[in-house]
Every structure is written in C-alpha cells, then in structure tokens.
Amino acid sequence: MLTQLLDALRDPVTRGVRLGRADFRSATFAGTADFRSAIFETDADFRSATFKGTANFVSATFKSNAWFGSAAFEGVTWFEMTMFTGVAGFASVTFKSDVAFVSPTFEGSARFELTTFEGYTDFRTASFKGDARFRSAIFKGDARFTSVLFQDAVFKSAVFECNAWFRSAIFGGDARFGLAIFESDADFRSAIFKGNARFTSTVFKRSAGMGPLVCAGQVTLSGAVFGGPVTVAIAARRLECWRTHWSSTAALQLRYATVDFAHSVFEHPLTIVAEPDLFRLSDGTSVDEQVLSNESDATVWVASLRGVDAAHLVLADVNLSRCLFTGTVHLDQLRLEGTCSFEGVPPRAHWRNGRPVRFTQRRTLAEEHHWRAGRPRAVRGWNTAVFGTGHVGPAQLAPVYRALRKSFEDAKNEPGAADFYYGEMEMRRHDSGTPRAERRLLAAYWALSGYGLRATRALVWLLLAMNATLLAMMLWGLPADYPKPVSTGRVTGQDIQLTTDTPNPANPTGPLQERISSGRFEKGLRVVINSVAFRSSDQDLTTAGTYIAMLSRLTEPVLFGLAVLAVRSRVKR
C-alpha cells in the first residue's frame, strides 16, 4: 500500500486503482490528479491537500469516509458519478475554478460547511441520501442543483452571489435556508419539499420569482427580505411570513396554504391570490402536487394580518374566516377582490337561560367568535380561540368592523358593508366602556330593526304596532256614536244669527267585546293606515283616540322607515 501511495504522489494518475487507506493529507498535486474509477476501500484523507491542476474523480468509489477538509482545488474539478458510501467531508474546501458534482451519490453525510465555490458549481441530479450540509458555504459563480435528491438539506447562512438553480429538486426531509443570501435569481421551479422549507431571515436581493414549488409541510419566510419585484408561487399546507420585508411589488399565488402574515412590511402593492388550478410551467406542463394528495380543497386561508399596514394589500379569492385583524393599520384601505369569505354565526336556534336564541346570518370576524365563545353561558357554535391568539373584546373589535365597513363602501359593495356595520354596532352595544344610556338606545335600535338592517324585524314590529293601534281604536278611540251638528240662533229684524256646534264624541260604553265590530274595524283601519303615512284622518275620535292616533303617527312611520332603510341597504349598489 505504501508503494501505491508513493507512486500516486510522483505521478498522480491512479485511474481504476484499488486503494486501501489513502492518506494524502497536505499533499500537493502539481499536475492533473486523475482518480477516475478509483476505488478507495477505507478512509480516503485529502485534508489540506492542494490540487493545482485538474482533479478528476469521475466514477470513483469511496467505500468508507472521504475527507477533503481545507483542501484547495485550483483547477477544474470533476466528481461526476462518484460514489460516497460514508461521510463526504468537504468542509472549508476552496474550489477556485469550476466544479462538477454531476450525478454523484452521497449515502452518508455530505459536509460542505464553509466551503467556497469560486467558479461554476454543478450538482445536477446528485443524490444526497444522508444530510447535506452547506452551512455558510459561498457560491461565487452560478450554482446548479437541478433535479437533485436531498434528504435533510442545510444551506443556513450560505451566500449565492450569482444564480442559484434548484429546479425540480426534491427535498425528502426539512430544507433549511435560514440567513442565506441570494444576490441574483433563486430558481425553485417544480421543487418539491416533502418536509418543511425554512427560509427564515433569508435575503433575496434581486430574485424575480420563487416557485412554483410544492411543500407538504410549512414554508417559512419569516424575517426574509425581498429586494426587488417578485412573484411567489407556492402550494403548501402553511406559509408563515412573520416580519417578512417586501421592498418592491410582490404577488403571492398560493394553493392549499394557511398564510400567517403578521407584522409583515411592504412598501409597494402586494397581492395574495388563491389559485384554483394547478400551477403550470412555461412549457405548459403542470407542477406535480402528489405530496399534497391528502388535501381535498385548494382553498387559501389567511390566519393573521396583525401588525400589517394594509394600505397596499390586495386579497383575492381567499378565506378570511380564521383571520385575526386587530392591530392591522389602514384596514379601511384593504382591497378584497373576487370571493373573499368570512365566518358566519351559529346557524340554528340555541337555548340560553331557558329561552331560544337565534342569530341573524351575517359576516363575522374570527375574533368575535373567540370573544363570544369565552363569555359565561356562551351559546354553542362560536369558535374558540387557538392558544396564542390573545384576547380582544368589543372595544378593540368595533374599530376593526368600522374599518372593514369603509373598505367595502369604498368598493361600492353596500350589502357587504352592511354586515360589518351590524358587527360594529354589536360591539358598541356590548362594550362596557360605552355609556349606559347609549347602550340602551343601541339595544332598542337592535331590537326594533337590527340597527336598520333587518327589514323583517322592523315590519313585524310595524304590524304589531298597527294591530295594537287598531285594537285600541276599536276599544277606546272611536266614539259610541257620531253626534250631528246642532245649530241655534235668533232672528233680529231681518238679520238671522246662527251658531253651529258639534257635541264632543261620547266615549264607548258597554262590554269590550261588543265594541269590536266590522264597522268600527273599518273606521279604525283608516285611522291606522293614515298614521303610517303620517297623515291625520278626518275620523272623529274620543280623547283617548286622539292620543292613540298621535302616538301611532310618531312610532309607525319610524318603523316603516326602518324597514325601507333595511331593504335599501341590501339592494343599494
């Protein structure tokens, strides 16, 4: 074996040679180092070695560990179809020229921490069956990881100074790109993440697009920075964008995902769109979503917009039934396009304190559900808060409903705005900080007409008021008979002086049931109808009838107006 090593040092051409323990530590290869098809039976140690010419390890096999730590490759390096059975240690290696790891197999751990790739780097179709560690690696040229198979991949704090291609790569476990820097394009088209994809605090300086990519778990962009216009296309179960900074326009095209956008910062228009159809590439092929086959619905849910300035935010076709809105700035400037759905209210009647309770259907916020579910003797059907969402009450929810109402009104969606007006009034009515007199007034407004938004309720009260007025008129308001005018006078010479007077109507007498007749019903009905129209009838009335008519002319037109107002709020455009 010693003879083989000495021969290798004198003439670094060991093509096809079987080597036992190969110890090339600190060796210098002045010319071409040709290890094509070489088989290293035990550990191969090239630590601190220097390859001044081409290093060729094409089809080489390392049956044990391969150590290249701190080595320097000054010429073109080839590891095409190389087999690494044990640990492949390339930590702190410097590749000063192009390097090709095309179709190699890493069955053990592949360690490229602190490695510097100064030229073009090619890992196409590589297979990492163990963990692939590229922590703090520097890629000064283009880096190609197209169609690579990873298990656990770690690119934390890596720097890509030129283009980075991960097109069609498959990540079998978690992929960690936290604190990485992409100074040019980061191409993840057709990439598949079977675990989680973590881009925490990653910097994308000029990347124009990210995806379409598919993730079976969570994609984390929290703390990431996007320096230029970007289109992000992701199909994933969850997308977390806490404190993500978007320095230019951005469009997020999503499928399946639950998006947490809390405290994100964007200075230009940003759009979140739910894509109903499969993502397609430029050649027309569809992106494979097999890892999400258990998901039956591609609906996109927004989980939180807390701490976001919504002045430039556009949401299209997303589900907002779980979204937390409190703390959102400029919520009145939020634009909702397409079909953006909110949570409703419990759908059927429930019993509370021995009486039935039924809620009128309307759009509600998730935080109202949480507040109502947490109240004593809460009605079933309100969704309880998830741990960590915090607690808000009517005082915090009223301005949120008000801002969303204004957003809908600015979009000329008056029926949609009506639901949020209803929610705002509900929060004011239940807010303990609201003055008691105002709360009582709001309670009356709610009971009579649902804050001027429930036409049926106002019409029911109007019919009840009209029936009560009609009954009161028949019982006490209409006189027993209608006295005829009586004229009295005297004759003085040729002058005649007459005085005509009508006696006061006599109050009805006798049993109450005898006062209810068809004739009195017809006369009372005319009085009631005139009262609704705020007109005075010519019908003679008793003193009680006069006051009843005055009261009806005050209340019934108001109820009729509330009913008309409620209808108008639902049909106005």
Side-chain angles (χ1 to χ4, degrees):
M1 178 57 64
L2 180 61
T3 303
Q4 289 178 316
L5 293 177
L6 292 174
D7 291 342
L9 288 173
R10 285 192 292 268
D11 183 11
V13 178
T14 56
R15 181 168 46 192
V17 173
R18 281 183 176 270
L19 300 174
R21 177 171 175 78
D23 189 350
F24 292 94
R25 281 179 293 180
S26 302
T28 300
F29 296 86
T32 299
D34 193 347
F35 289 90
R36 281 179 289 175
S37 302
I39 299 175
F40 297 85
E41 300 285 353
T42 60
D43 285 1
D45 195 342
F46 289 87
R47 281 177 288 188
S48 300
T50 301
F51 296 84
K52 293 184 175 294
T54 299
N56 193 335
F57 289 85
V58 173
S59 299
T61 300
F62 295 86
K63 292 189 175 182
S64 187
N65 301 321
W67 303 105
F68 288 85
S70 302
F73 293 85
E74 297 181 4
V76 177
T77 304
W78 299 89
F79 282 92
E80 187 172 352
M81 293 184 293
T82 306
M83 170 67 74
F84 296 90
T85 304
V87 175
F90 288 86
S92 301
V93 171
T94 300
F95 294 95
K96 295 185 177 181
S97 186
D98 296 344
V99 56
F101 283 88
V102 178
S103 302
T105 299
F106 298 87
E107 293 191 350
S109 177
R111 303 174 182 175
F112 290 85
E113 296 101 331
L114 297 170
T115 301
T116 301
F117 301 86
E118 295 187 3
Y120 173 76
T121 304
D122 193 348
F123 277 88
R124 280 179 297 170
T125 65
S127 176
F128 294 88
K129 296 183 179 181
D131 56 325
R133 306 179 187 177
F134 288 85
R135 188 189 305 268
S136 300
I138 299 175
F139 299 86
K140 294 187 176 181
D142 290 342
R144 185 180 294 274
F145 290 86
T146 305
S147 300
V148 173
L149 176 61
F150 294 96
Q151 288 304 314
D152 289 334
V154 180
F155 287 85
K156 187 174 182 180
S157 301
V159 178
F160 298 86
E161 296 183 3
C162 293
N163 298 320
W165 291 291
F166 289 86
R167 187 182 305 179
S168 300
I170 298 177
F171 298 83
D174 289 349
R176 301 172 179 88
F177 288 85
L179 297 171
I181 299 175
F182 293 90
E183 296 188 2
S184 190
D185 280 344
D187 188 351
F188 286 88
R189 280 177 287 179
S190 297
I192 297 175
F193 297 83
K194 295 183 178 180
N196 299 317
R198 301 174 182 173
F199 295 87
T200 307
S201 300
T202 303
V203 177
F204 300 88
K205 288 189 176 181
R206 293 192 300 274
S207 183
M210 183 180 182
L213 61 85
V214 180
C215 181
Q218 173 175 303
V219 177
T220 302
L221 293 174
S222 297
V225 177
F226 290 87
V230 63
T231 299
V232 178
I234 295 176
R237 284 188 171 88
R238 185 173 177 84
L239 174 62
E240 187 176 279
C241 296
W242 279 40
R243 303 186 185 280
T244 305
H245 192 125
W246 313 81
S247 301
S248 187
T249 56
L252 275 68
Q253 301 168 357
L254 307 175
R255 287 173 55 79
Y256 302 102
T258 297
V259 187
D260 191 341
F261 230 67
H263 305 287
S264 287
V265 178
F266 37 91
E267 305 166 8
H268 299 274
L270 185 144
T271 304
I272 301 177
V273 181
E275 289 291 333
D277 301 320
L278 293 173
F279 291 123
R280 292 189 178 275
L281 301 176
S282 56
D283 59 1
T285 59
S286 298
V287 176
D288 183 12
E289 295 183 353
Q290 187 64 33
V291 294
L292 293 169
S293 59
N294 293 332
E295 299 292 329
S296 58
D297 188 2
T299 301
V300 175
W301 305 73
V302 179
S304 177
L305 292 176
R306 286 182 172 176
V308 170
D309 187 342
H312 300 291
L313 181 60
V314 180
L315 304 178
D317 299 319
V318 297
N319 192 310
L320 298 170
S321 60
R322 305 173 188 170
C323 186
L324 305 178
F325 285 98
T326 53
T328 306
V329 182
H330 295 142
L331 190 56
D332 58 318
Q333 299 180 39
L334 173 68
R335 286 182 55 192
L336 301 177
E337 304 289 345
T339 303
C340 292
S341 56
F342 289 82
E343 188 60 275
V345 298
R348 58 183 184 277
H350 301 267
W351 291 89
R352 183 171 61 188
N353 298 333
R355 60 185 179 87
V357 177
R358 182 181 179 276
F359 297 94
T360 306
Q361 287 299 317
R362 60 182 174 90
R363 296 180 179 92
T364 59
L365 300 182
E367 288 130 318
E368 182 182 347
H369 273 255
H370 302 165
W371 168 72
R372 289 187 182 272
R375 299 180 69 193
R377 300 184 299 277
V379 171
R380 291 184 180 180
W382 297 106
N383 299 326
T384 57
V386 179
F387 178 77
T389 57
H391 174 75
V392 296
Q396 294 79 30
L397 288 174
V400 175
Y401 273 113
R402 187 180 306 119
L404 287 172
R405 171 177 61 86
K406 186 176 184 301
S407 174
F408 273 74
E409 289 174 345
D410 292 344
K412 306 302 181 184
N413 186 352
E414 295 292 341
D419 284 345
F420 294 100
Y421 174 73
Y422 194 102
E424 175 192 353
M425 301 300 283
E426 278 285 274
M427 295 303 101
R428 289 177 57 191
R429 181 167 70 93
H430 289 286
D431 183 9
S432 58
T434 303
R436 180 175 298 180
E438 182 178 343
R439 291 173 63 187
R440 289 178 176 175
L441 179 62
L442 290 173
Y445 192 22
W446 164 78
L448 291 176
S449 64
Y451 309 113
L453 297 173
R454 302 295 180 254
T456 303
R457 193 178 305 179
L459 288 174
V460 168
W461 279 109
L462 175 60
L463 291 176
L464 290 176
M466 292 175 66
N467 284 322
T469 302
L470 179 58
L471 182 61
M473 282 293 177
M474 288 192 295
L475 295 178
W476 303 288
L478 298 176
D481 53 25
Y482 297 92
K484 297 179 180 179
V486 177
S487 298
T488 59
R490 60 181 179 178
V491 178
T492 305
Q494 294 183 349
D495 296 329
I496 300 176
Q497 295 181 348
L498 297 176
T499 301
T500 302
D501 192 14
T502 303
N504 292 328
N507 291 325
T509 58
L512 295 179
Q513 61 270 22
E514 293 182 0
R515 303 179 192 179
I516 300 176
S517 63
S518 59
R520 293 175 67 83
F521 174 83
E522 190 272 334
K523 294 175 182 178
L525 183 60
R526 280 187 288 173
V527 174
V528 170
I529 293 176
N530 279 287
S531 296
V532 174
F534 207 71
R535 294 171 55 190
S536 177
S537 67
D538 297 330
Q539 179 66 49
D540 291 330
L541 302 174
T542 63
T543 302
T546 301
Y547 285 106
I548 293 172
M550 292 171 59
L551 181 61
S552 67
R553 285 203 304 272
L554 177 65
T555 58
E556 292 168 9
V558 172
L559 294 172
F560 182 71
L562 290 174
V564 173
L565 178 64
V567 173
R568 181 177 180 274
S569 69
R570 290 300 178 183
V571 300
K572 182 181 178 182
R573 289 292 185 270

